């Protein structure tokens, strides 16, 4: 089995520093932002020098570009029924695809956002339309993946049915360039109990696979501060939340963890690290050791 393990590492000092820190933690996958996640980034282009630094840093690690995931900005709510907001979010998602394609990464993941008071199946169509616009505007090998959400308020993508519905609205010709990924904290807080037994966890993955017609293209490995069904999106270190360690062992040993990025988005210890310090975060190192113990990496 091949397990590509990594984290969303700290990018203080630049994107290339996030890569170097991931490399020094022994990661074979990683995640990053290409722009400030609180903004739309619909006008932000990526400078060639930044791309070059990123690629040079990556070449010093064991991380293949295909196993790098870019997390799109949280504000890109392409589920929204408000036209003006949708236009801007859609433009932001397309621009993200442009930056990420320049970097040559394997995938961009995004949270679909809130349907507000609108009909949820109409919202699924708007999300799919934004995916189509992004894929048609930016032709590249970088895939655009929906992330399941914790289900707070009217957010879309909290069930297998909803993720499936979004993807089903993407024309067949573009389907290979899209897909989805699953976040364990979001699964649990949206009501999927993956803690009861290995069979229970397997059944959840089976459900997503059957309904969407494909296995997930990444996992986010986060323990959950909130209880089952709490819809709370608060990540904690594996073993320090309500999920506990055991389900993560089952998950990384499941066939669906094979060959895809397995990314930690858990708290880090040293957010104020110096810009030029490429030492790995102690919490990331601790989490990597835990995961490697289960995968034999
Ligand atoms: Zn996530
Ligand atoms: Zn989350």
């Amino acid at each position: 089995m091949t397990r590509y393990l990594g984290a969303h590492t700290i990018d203080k000092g630049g994107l290339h520093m996030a890569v170097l820190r991931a490399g020094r933690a022994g990661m074979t996958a990683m995640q990053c932002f290409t722009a400030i996640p609180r903004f739309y980034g619909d006008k932000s282009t990526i400078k060639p020098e930044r791309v070059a630094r990123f690629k040079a840093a990556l070449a010093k690690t064991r991380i293949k570009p295909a196993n790098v995931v870019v997390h799109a900005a949280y504000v890109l709510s392409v589920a929204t029924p408000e036209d003006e907001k949708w236009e801007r979010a859609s433009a932001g998602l397309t621009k993200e695809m442009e930056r990420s394609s320049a970097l040559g990464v394997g995938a961009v993941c995004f949270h679909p956002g809130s349907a507000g008071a609108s009909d949820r199946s109409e919202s699924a169509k708007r999300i799919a339309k934004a995916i189509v616009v992004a894929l048609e505007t930016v032709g590249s090998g970088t895939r655009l993946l929906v992330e399941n959400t914790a289900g707070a308020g009217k957010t879309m993508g909290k069930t297998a049915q909803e993720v499936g519905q979004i993807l089903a609205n993407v024309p067949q010709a573009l389907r290979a360039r899209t897909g989805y990924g699953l976040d364990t904290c979001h699964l649990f807080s949206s009501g999927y109990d993956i803690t009861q037994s290995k069979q229970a966890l397997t059944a959840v993955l089976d459900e997503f696979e059957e309904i969407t017609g494909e296995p997930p293209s990444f996992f986010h490995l986060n323990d959950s501060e909130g209880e089952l069904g709490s819809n709370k999106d608060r990540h904690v270190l594996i073993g320090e939340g309500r999920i506990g360690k055991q389900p993560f062992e089952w998950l990384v040993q499941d066939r669906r963890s094979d060959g895809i990025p397995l990314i930690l988005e858990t708290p880090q210890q040293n957010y104020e690290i110096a810009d030029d310090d490429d030492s790995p975060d102690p919490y990331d190192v601790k989490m990597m050791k835990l995961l490697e113990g289960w995968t034999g990496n």
Side-chain angles (χ1 to χ4, degrees):
M1 62 181 187
T2 312
R3 295 293 181 269
Y4 298 116
L5 298 169
H8 188 130
T9 48
I10 296 168
D11 63 2
K12 199 161 169 287
L15 192 49
H16 64 292
M17 293 306 294
V19 174
L20 295 176
R21 287 170 191 135
R24 286 205 44 201
M27 296 178 187
T28 49
M30 68 169 290
Q31 185 174 280
C32 55
F33 297 121
T34 67
I36 301 165
R38 297 185 308 280
F39 300 122
Y40 282 87
D42 53 335
K43 305 278 190 295
S44 312
T45 51
I46 191 159
K47 291 196 177 78
E49 303 89 79
R50 207 166 155 229
V51 174
R53 279 198 301 272
F54 172 81
K55 289 186 173 175
L58 211 53
K60 291 182 189 163
T61 72
R62 293 196 294 141
I63 306 166
K64 289 188 260 179
N67 293 319
V68 179
V69 177
V70 165
H71 200 302
Y74 305 118
V75 292
L76 302 182
S77 182
V78 292
T80 181
E82 297 167 51
D83 290 341
E84 218 168 291
K85 212 173 149 194
W86 183 90
E87 287 294 344
R88 192 144 186 235
S90 171
L93 199 59
T94 296
K95 206 70 184 167
E96 182 57 83
M97 276 297 283
E98 187 187 297
R99 290 191 299 271
S100 294
S101 297
L103 291 170
V105 304
V108 169
C109 75
F110 74 102
H111 297 180
S114 174
S118 70
D119 178 75
R120 296 182 77 82
S121 56
E122 289 303 313
S123 181
K125 287 182 192 161
R126 288 191 294 273
I127 298 163
K129 191 177 165 201
I131 294 174
V132 169
V133 169
L135 293 178
E136 284 181 341
T137 310
V138 185
S140 75
T142 302
R143 296 176 71 214
L144 182 53
L145 309 172
V146 177
E147 179 172 349
N148 74 307
T149 53
K154 304 286 181 189
T155 53
M156 291 289 293
K158 68 175 183 179
T159 61
Q161 288 77 7
E162 248 168 35
V163 172
Q165 204 179 5
I166 294 165
L167 296 176
N169 281 299
V170 176
Q172 203 53 40
L174 293 172
R175 273 301 299 277
R177 295 176 57 204
T178 183
Y180 69 101
L182 296 175
D183 182 308
T184 51
C185 168
H186 302 176
L187 277 176
F188 186 74
S189 57
S190 69
Y192 287 100
D193 194 353
I194 53 174
T195 68
Q196 288 308 306
S197 63
K198 186 169 186 167
Q199 288 68 29
L201 171 78
T202 305
V204 170
L205 301 182
D206 289 348
E207 186 185 335
F208 272 89
E209 194 171 2
E210 275 161 32
I211 289 174
T212 63
E214 64 188 74
S217 291
F218 69 85
F219 282 115
H220 281 163
L221 307 178
N222 305 313
D223 208 332
S224 171
E225 186 185 277
E227 287 176 52
L228 178 68
S230 64
N231 299 128
K232 196 168 163 185
D233 187 2
R234 190 74 61 82
H235 306 177
V236 291
L237 295 175
I238 293 173
E240 293 188 5
R242 309 270 180 168
I243 298 176
K245 288 182 182 173
Q246 180 82 77
F248 290 94
E249 181 174 3
W250 298 329
L251 180 62
V252 298
Q253 291 175 353
D254 186 277
R255 66 171 168 84
R256 279 153 295 205
S257 288
D258 191 45
I260 62 168
L262 308 172
I263 309 279
L264 295 153
E265 294 175 314
T266 43
Q268 278 136 337
Q269 195 172 48
N270 195 8
Y271 293 104
E272 295 312 314
I273 190 165
D275 285 358
D276 61 352
D277 184 349
D278 68 358
S279 50
D281 190 84
Y283 284 178
D284 280 349
V285 170
K286 185 180 165 188
M287 290 293 99
M288 285 294 291
K289 279 210 182 97
L290 183 67
L291 295 169
E292 285 164 355
W294 297 325
T295 61
N297 276 38

